[in-house]
Amino acid sequence: MQNHIYKLLRSAGGAKEPQCAAAQQAAERVRAAACELRQAYELFGQMDAPAMIEHATYVIKAAEVRYEYLLKEYREEYGETPASAAWFVTGGEE
């Protein structure tokens, strides 16, 4: 699942810091969605009961859809990938 997100980011080229306030707010939404997705993966790694693993899988899918939507929306509006999207791929290391 993480590979799919990584491929999305790689296809967009380099990540850049947004310049205007609206772009910064949109980039922050992407960053928050990236954090949510990373937390969903961490949750999955902590589960051991089958029902909880299934729950964590749904949480991951929902977080992926939200992240992909916000990233696509940002790219359509600003024509680039925000640096906050690269943050997800690097695990928070900029």
Side-chain angles (χ1 to χ4, degrees):
M1 286 182 224
Q2 235 172 338
N3 275 343
H4 176 68
I5 302 298
Y6 182 73
K7 287 177 187 176
L8 279 174
L9 292 173
R10 298 285 296 174
S11 69
K16 300 177 182 175
E17 285 294 331
Q19 299 302 317
C20 68
Q24 289 174 350
Q25 290 174 348
E28 176 57 28
R29 287 191 296 273
V30 172
R31 189 201 64 74
C35 287
E36 183 181 312
L37 182 54
R38 183 167 293 285
Q39 289 172 347
Y41 282 119
E42 290 172 5
L43 174 70
F44 181 84
Q46 297 170 2
M47 297 297 125
D48 56 2
M52 293 308 295
I53 291 171
E54 184 175 355
H55 165 73
T57 302
Y58 287 116
V59 171
I60 288 171
K61 185 59 182 170
E64 282 179 336
V65 168
R66 180 172 185 262
Y67 179 72
E68 289 173 12
Y69 171 79
L70 290 172
L71 187 58
K72 180 182 174 198
E73 185 179 70
Y74 186 94
R75 284 184 186 150
E76 287 174 357
E77 182 71 25
Y78 302 104
E80 59 190 26
T81 299
S84 59
W87 178 90
F88 171 74
V89 173
T90 62
E93 302 168 12
E94 295 189 55

